[in-house]
Amino acid sequence: MNVDKPKIKTQRVYSRKRCRESLRIHLTPARRRGELTCSQRRRLSYSMDDTVQYCSDSEDLFGDYDSILEDSSLLAKLDDAEQHERQRVVLPSPQNDAKDQRGFTVLQPPRDITKKKSHSTSLSDSIFDKTFEELPSSQLLFQERVQEKVKRVRLQGGDQTSTPVRNEFTEDKTRKRRSVADQLKRTMVCNAAAPSSVSRSVTLKEAVVSEEISVAMQAMENVSSETVDLGPFFGLPTKVKDLMDKLRGIKSLYDWQETCLNLECVQHRKNLIYSLPTSGGKTLVAEILILRELLCRKKDCLFVLPYISLVQEKVRGLASFGLELDFMVEEYAGSKGKFPPLKRRNKASLYIATIEKAHSLVNSLIETSRIENLGLVVVDELHMLGDGSRGALIEMILAKVLYMSNNTQIVGMSATLGNVQDLQMFLKAENYTNDFRPVQLKEFVKLSDTIYEVDPKEEDGFRFSRHFNFKYSSSMRKMDPDHIIALVTEVIPTHSCLVFCPTKKNCENVAAMICKYLKEEFLHHRREEKGVLLRELKESGNGSVCPVLRTTVPYGLAYHHSGLTSEERKLVEEAYSNGVLCLLTCTSTLAAGINLPARRVILRSPYVATDFLKRSQYKQMVGRAGRAGIDTVGESVLIIQDKDRNMVKSLVCAPMEICNSNLMHDDGKGLLLLILSLIGLNITTTLDQVKSFLSGTLLFVQQKQLCVEKSLWDVVQQCVDTLKDKHLITVESHSDGQTLQVTMLGRATYKGSVDLTYSNLLYSDLSKGLDGLLLNSCLHLAYLVTPYDMISQCNPDWMTYFRQFTLLSAAEQKMSAAVGVPESFVARKVAGQTVKKSVNMDVVRRMYLALVLVALLKETNLWSVANRFQLSRGFVQTLLSSSSAFCSCVLHFTEELEEFWPFKALLTVLMRRLSYCVKAELIPLMEVAGVMESRAKQLYNAGYKTLTHLANADPAVLSRTIENLYRKQATQIVASAKMLVNEKAAALQEEVDELLMVPLDLPSPLKTHR
C-alpha cells in the first residue's frame, strides 16, 4: 500500500503578499519573464518523477492571498463556514498521548476513527454545500477535486491519510486537523505542480484567469491615464511632502505655486509655459510635476538644463528623492550618459541632461521606438530658444517630441520671456505668468555721487533716492572712482554681496582693490573656516594657489569666472553659500548658472566685454538680489556713466527681448542638422514629409520675420541639396516623387552630434589615422579628439612648442610630421625664419593642444601643465572637458562606420581618462556627482576607497571625518553614490533577465520538423 502513495517533498515557497504597485510585474506574460510555455512545462512534467511538492508548514504560499479583482472572499467564506460548523457540532475529546521509552509518540490506530471520519466528511460536505453555490467556473474545479478525493478515501479504508505518515512515529493525535482552507491551498499547489487530467477544467480555468488579468490591466490603465491622484500633496503621497520638509526644509508652497499646480491645463496634462522673476520658486513646481509623472503614471521624465554644473547640482539634489521613492536619477552631461538609455521594467527614470545630451537622448528614444515611454519633458531657461546653436537644439528636441509622441507633456519655464504667444503657438501650450518674488527687489542706478531708484512711472525712468557722501581719501578716489568699496562695505561682512564685472581680468582687479582698503576686523570674521578654504584650494592645485585668492580669501572675498578650474569654482561657491565668503566679484555667467543669491548686487558697468547688456541679462543679474528666508529686501545697484544714461533707461524699463528661432542661425546649420536627423531616424523620407514636420516648429510660426529673402520651402530645398553635396544623404527619383535616404556618413554625423562643418574633415582625419595609427603613445588619439572649435583660441608659444616637440619619441615625431607638423617647421618658427612650404596652421595649433592633453594625462597636475604651456588654468580646464565631450562624439561617430572598428575600444578608454584626469584609484569616487579630485583624495585617504564604501557610509560620520564637509553635502554625496550603485546593479540585472528570457521567435517542434 505504501508503494501506491505519492512521495512527499516539502519545499519552502516565498509567500509575500503582492502589493498593488507590483501588479504589472507579476502580470508580465511568462514568456517575457523567461518562464517556460505551457507546452514546455507539460513536457517537463511528464519527464520528472511523480513527486508531489507541498508548501512547508512554516510558510504559506497563499497567506494573505488577494485576487486580482479585489475579490478575496473565497478563503474568508471557507473560514467563516468552518467556524460555524465547529460551533454547531461538538468535536470528540482528544485521546491521551501514548509514548515509548524514548519520549516519542507511538503511532496507534485511533479508537473512534470511524466516528471522526464521518464527522469530518459531513463537515466538509456541509461547508462546500454552502460555500460553493455561487463560485465562478475557475474555482469550481476545487469542489470537483475534493469530492472525488472524499469518494476515494471512503473506498480505500480507514488507515489512509492525506498527510505524510512517518515510518515509526507520528505526530500527537491531539493536533487539530487541517482546516478546509488549508486543504484548498494544498490542493491548489498540487494542481499547479502536476499536469491536469481534466482538459475541460483547465480550459475553463485559463479562460477565467485570462479574463481576470485583462480586466485588471484595463482597470490599471484607466487609473494611470485618467486618475493620477495618489495622495493629498498635489496628487502625491504624504511621504513626498515629508521628504520636501526633511531634505529641503519646505513646509508649504507659495500661493502662486499652488495656483499653478491646480490649473486645469496641468490637471489634464496639457503643455505649459510659466514665467516668474528669478528666485520665485519655479523649479519646485517642475519637480512636483516630475514626481507626479514618475510615481503616478510610471513614465520616464527628461529635465533639460543649460549647464553641466546645474545638471550635477540637480542630480545631487534629487538622488535622495529617487532612493526614497524608488525611481532612477541618471546624469547626461559631458561624457556621461548611455545611448539609448537602459530600458528598465520595474522603475521609471529621470534623465537630467544638458541641451546637447538631451538632443542625443531624444534621438535614441525615437530610434528604438521608446519615445512614448517619455511622459514629461521639462526645459529650464526656455528663453534660450533664442540663443544661437544651443537654441536650435532646444527647438529640435521639442519639435521631435511634439511630432512623435501624443502622450508626452512639455513644460517650459523661464524668468525672462518676451513673445510668449509665439512660443505658445509652437508648443500648443497654456501660459501662466506671475510677478511674485519671495523677497522684495529694489533696483537702483548710481550716476556720479547720486543714487536713483528705478521707477518706470517717472518721466525719465528714475527717481532720486540719496546722495552718496562716503568720505574718500585722494588715493582711494583715484583707485575707486565708482565708490565700489563704499557700496560693498555697507552690507559686508554681515550680509553677502555680488559684484558683476565686464571682464574676467576686471573681476580679479576689483577683488584685489577692495581688499586693500578693508579694515582689519574683516580678517577675524570666520577666520578658521577661511583657513580651511585656503588649504583646500592649495590641495586642489597640488600645492599651488592663485596669488589673488591667497590675498582676498582671508578678507572673505573671491572672484568667480571661467578662468578658475572646476574644482576652484566649486570650493568658492560652497564657501559663499555657507557664509565663509561674503563677497564675490564675477562675470555674467554666474547669473545664468548655479543659484548664489546676495543681499546686494552691484553691476560694475552696463557692458559685458564691449557689448551693451541685454534686458534678459540685466534681469538675471539683478534677480540674484534677495535671499529667501534670510533677507527682507534685496537691492541692485547699476553703476553708469552720463553717456550711457539714455541706453540704461531703455535697459531697465523696456519690455523683454523677443525669442526667435535659431534654426537659420549660422547659415542654417541648425536646419541642416534637423533635416539630416529626420531622414536618419526615418521620421521623414520625402520632401513633403519634411515640410509637414517643419510646420510644427517655431521657425514656421515666425517664418514671415525670419524668411524674408527666400521662402521657408526654398530654404528647405536648398538644405536638401547641400546635404546631398556633402554626401550625407541620397536623393532617389521615381515616378511618385523623390525618396530621401541617409548615407553611412550622414548617420554617423547625426548620431555622433558632430558639427556638419567638420564631419568630412573628421572622417578624413580618422581615415588617415588608420594608415599609421600610433599605439605606443596616446598622442595620436589625443590629436584626433582635440575639438576643432578650440583651435582658433590657441596661440602657441613657439619656444615652448619646440621644447615639448624635442621631448617626443622618434615615433611620435614621425606621427606629427604625418599629420602636417614636421620638426623643421617648428624649428624655423622658433628661429624667426621664413617658412617656404605652406603649412596648415589649424593642424599646427591642434597639435599644440594635443601636446597639452598628453601632458595632462601623464601628470594630472593642471597647474603645472598650464604654466609649462603658457596657458591659463581655466583654458586648460575647458580644453580637458571639451576634449572629453568631443571624444564621446567621435566614439559614437566611429561606431556607425565599420572601417573604424579599431577606434571603439581605444576611444572608450581614452574618454574615461579624459573625463576625470586623475589617478585610476580615484575614478570610482569621482563618478559621484559633485565629487572633485581634492574631495576624492580626502575620501580615499579616510578609507572610502570604492563606490560601495561611499554608498554605505553614514552621512553624520562622513561629515565629521572629512574636513569642511557639511552634513547636507555629505547626505547628498551618499545619496548620489547609492543611486549610482543601484543604477549599475539594475543594469546587470537587466542583462541577466535578457539572457534568461525565452526568445519570442523560438521555433516550435512542428516548424522544426517541417
Side-chain angles (χ1 to χ4, degrees), residues 394-541:
I394 296 175
E395 187 172 347
M396 291 183 217
I397 293 167
L398 298 177
K400 288 176 182 176
V401 171
L402 285 167
Y403 190 83
M404 296 300 295
S405 176
N406 295 322
N407 298 319
T408 304
Q409 183 185 13
I410 295 175
V411 174
M413 55 179 172
S414 177
T416 52
L417 281 176
N419 53 333
V420 71
Q421 294 82 5
D422 287 352
L423 304 184
Q424 281 185 260
M425 194 177 299
F426 163 44
L427 296 177
K428 302 175 180 62
E430 302 288 334
N431 178 45
Y432 177 81
T433 305
N434 198 304
D435 59 358
F436 170 82
R437 273 186 59 92
V439 178
Q440 181 187 2
L441 172 63
K442 293 185 177 181
E443 299 178 41
F444 297 95
V445 171
K446 179 183 175 296
L447 177 61
S448 186
D449 292 338
T450 307
I451 294 181
Y452 301 90
E453 186 172 357
V454 175
D455 186 356
K457 297 178 182 178
E458 294 291 326
E459 185 177 349
D460 60 353
F462 307 120
R463 186 178 69 249
F464 173 80
S465 178
R466 63 185 169 114
H467 282 297
F468 206 73
N469 55 3
F470 195 85
K471 294 182 179 180
Y472 266 35
S473 64
S474 58
S475 61
M476 284 182 67
R477 186 172 291 276
K478 289 180 181 178
M479 291 290 293
D480 183 23
D482 295 324
H483 303 96
I484 294 176
I485 297 172
L487 288 170
V488 300
T489 51
E490 285 181 343
V491 292
I492 65 170
T494 308
H495 301 287
S496 58
C497 183
L498 293 175
V499 181
F500 286 99
C501 302
T503 64
K504 290 186 286 187
K505 189 63 179 176
N506 192 236
C507 288
E508 299 176 30
N509 292 340
V510 169
M513 182 266 293
I514 295 173
C515 287
K516 288 181 180 179
Y517 296 97
L518 290 180
K519 296 178 181 179
E520 190 176 345
E521 62 189 48
F522 281 85
L523 294 171
H524 302 297
H525 182 72
R526 303 186 74 163
R527 187 169 191 163
E528 292 182 1
E529 291 166 284
K530 288 184 284 191
V532 172
L533 175 60
L534 279 173
R535 287 198 300 273
E536 290 190 330
L537 286 169
K538 188 174 182 179
E539 289 175 6
S540 71

Side-chain angles (χ1 to χ4, degrees), residues 624-673:
R624 296 300 182 193
R627 298 166 297 174
I630 301 175
D631 299 325
T632 55
V633 66
E635 302 170 343
S636 70
V637 181
L638 171 60
I639 300 173
I640 65 172
Q641 305 302 320
D642 193 52
K643 64 182 178 67
D644 296 323
R645 185 178 182 126
N646 290 332
M647 293 178 67
V648 169
K649 177 185 175 181
S650 62
L651 173 68
V652 298
C653 300
M656 294 293 178
E657 297 95 346
I658 62 174
C659 181
N660 286 331
S661 169
N662 271 266
L663 289 178
M664 302 284 287
H665 174 73
D666 197 7
D667 297 326
K669 275 187 182 179
L671 189 57
L672 283 168
L673 180 58

Side-chain angles (χ1 to χ4, degrees), residues 253 369 689 931 976:
L253 271 63
S369 302
Q689 289 177 347
V931 174
S976 297

Side-chain angles (χ1 to χ4, degrees), residues 671-691:
L671 189 57
L672 283 168
L673 180 58
L674 174 59
I675 294 174
L676 176 63
S677 62
L678 292 178
I679 298 170
L681 293 168
N682 288 323
I683 297 174
T684 59
T685 56
T686 66
L687 202 57
D688 288 339
Q689 289 177 347
V690 172
K691 292 178 180 179

Side-chain angles (χ1 to χ4, degrees), residues 534-819:
L534 279 173
R535 287 198 300 273
E536 290 190 330
L537 286 169
K538 188 174 182 179
E539 289 175 6
S540 71
N542 291 302
S544 301
V545 181
C546 170
V548 177
L549 291 177
R550 190 187 298 117
T551 303
T552 61
V553 167
Y555 287 93
L557 278 65
Y559 66 89
H560 184 289
H561 58 62
S562 60
L564 294 172
T565 66
S566 56
E567 191 151 5
E568 286 174 323
R569 281 201 300 271
K570 183 171 177 57
L571 289 171
V572 167
E573 289 165 359
E574 288 179 352
Y576 179 82
S577 297
N578 296 318
V580 177
L581 297 175
C582 58
L583 184 144
L584 293 182
T585 57
C586 50
T587 55
S588 59
T589 54
L590 182 139
I594 193 170
N595 185 25
L596 295 175
R599 171 64 176 269
R600 177 175 288 179
V601 170
I602 300 171
L603 280 69
R604 172 76 175 75
S605 166
Y607 291 89
V608 174
T610 58
D611 299 326
F612 198 80
L613 274 178
K614 295 178 182 178
R615 170 76 172 168
S616 57
Q617 291 175 317
Y618 170 77
K619 294 302 288 184
Q620 277 191 329
M621 291 180 188
V622 301
R624 296 300 182 193
R627 298 166 297 174
I630 301 175
D631 299 325
T632 55
V633 66
E635 302 170 343
S636 70
V637 181
L638 171 60
I639 300 173
I640 65 172
Q641 305 302 320
D642 193 52
K643 64 182 178 67
D644 296 323
R645 185 178 182 126
N646 290 332
M647 293 178 67
V648 169
K649 177 185 175 181
S650 62
L651 173 68
V652 298
C653 300
M656 294 293 178
E657 297 95 346
I658 62 174
C659 181
N660 286 331
S661 169
N662 271 266
L663 289 178
M664 302 284 287
H665 174 73
D666 197 7
D667 297 326
K669 275 187 182 179
L671 189 57
L672 283 168
L673 180 58
L674 174 59
I675 294 174
L676 176 63
S677 62
L678 292 178
I679 298 170
L681 293 168
N682 288 323
I683 297 174
T684 59
T685 56
T686 66
L687 202 57
D688 288 339
Q689 289 177 347
V690 172
K691 292 178 180 179
S692 174
F693 180 94
L694 289 176
S695 64
T697 62
L698 181 60
L699 176 60
F700 181 82
V701 174
Q702 299 174 335
Q703 61 178 319
K704 290 183 179 179
Q705 303 99 286
L706 301 179
C707 301
V708 179
E709 298 179 359
K710 293 182 180 179
S711 71
L712 177 57
W713 309 128
D714 290 339
V715 174
V716 170
Q717 183 62 60
Q718 184 179 336
C719 287
V720 170
D721 294 338
T722 302
L723 291 172
K724 181 182 177 182
D725 294 340
K726 287 178 174 288
H727 306 291
L728 300 175
I729 65 169
T730 60
V731 180
E732 297 181 2
S733 300
H734 46 79
S735 57
D736 296 333
Q738 293 180 329
T739 302
L740 309 177
Q741 289 187 333
V742 70
T743 63
M744 295 301 293
L745 178 60
R747 185 178 301 279
T749 300
Y750 86 80
K751 293 196 75 171
S753 299
V754 177
D755 192 320
L756 296 182
T757 307
Y758 306 121
S759 61
N760 284 294
L761 180 58
L762 177 61
Y763 182 84
S764 175
D765 286 342
L766 291 170
S767 299
K768 291 177 182 177
L770 282 179
D771 294 337
L773 187 61
L774 184 66
L775 294 177
N776 61 354
S777 166
C778 60
L779 178 61
H780 201 167
L781 288 174
Y783 173 80
L784 292 173
V785 300
T786 301
Y788 294 106
D789 56 4
M790 290 202 70
I791 295 173
S792 60
Q793 304 174 41
C794 175
N795 293 308
D797 178 84
W798 295 111
M799 181 56 72
T800 303
Y801 205 151
F802 182 73
R803 191 180 298 117
Q804 295 302 312
F805 201 95
T806 56
L807 297 176
L808 297 177
S809 66
E812 289 173 327
Q813 290 186 4
K814 183 179 179 181
M815 168 258 153
S816 179
V819 298

